[in-house]
Amino acid sequence: MTQESKGPVAAEIEKRLTETLAPVHLRVINDSAQHRGHAGDDGSGESHFTVEIVARQFENLSRVDRQRAVNSALGDMMKERVHAMQIRAKAPSEIAK
């Protein structure tokens, strides 16, 4: 698993997703610099993220259900610490070999 950003919010995202969904691949990308000065930028440098996650639990789930699973795993973070998150969730069977 790769962690793009070492900030506390990114680390907490990675921890919660790892504990809840046991991904075979996880990448947390901090996109906040691209949104500096825009709505939702709280000045922390950790407000906007992209999450790339591959987990066995996503087999046979719709895109919406996968996003719900990620949001559920993150819980209060989505309301209190993260302004925006792009979620790229796949099942292992969808990854090119």
Side-chain angles (χ1 to χ4, degrees), residues 53-91:
I53 182 169
V54 178
R56 288 179 184 86
Q57 294 180 31
F58 295 152
E59 292 288 350
N60 301 314
L61 289 184
S62 69
R63 182 182 59 81
V64 171
D65 286 337
R66 292 171 186 190
Q67 291 184 354
R68 286 182 180 144
V70 170
N71 286 331
S72 177
L74 298 177
D76 61 332
M77 290 188 78
M78 294 305 295
K79 293 178 185 173
E80 298 172 6
R81 297 170 71 189
V82 175
H83 176 72
M85 180 175 293
Q86 180 179 12
I87 300 169
R88 297 178 188 147
K90 294 184 177 186

Side-chain angles (χ1 to χ4, degrees), residues 4 10 13 17 26-32 34-35 47-53 82 84-88:
E4 286 292 315
I13 290 169
L17 293 176
L26 176 61
R27 186 173 176 208
V28 178
I29 304 162
N30 185 344
D31 298 322
S32 302
Q34 298 170 9
H35 301 277
S47 58
H48 296 71
F49 294 91
T50 297
V51 169
E52 297 174 354
I53 182 169
V82 175
M85 180 175 293
Q86 180 179 12
I87 300 169
R88 297 178 188 147

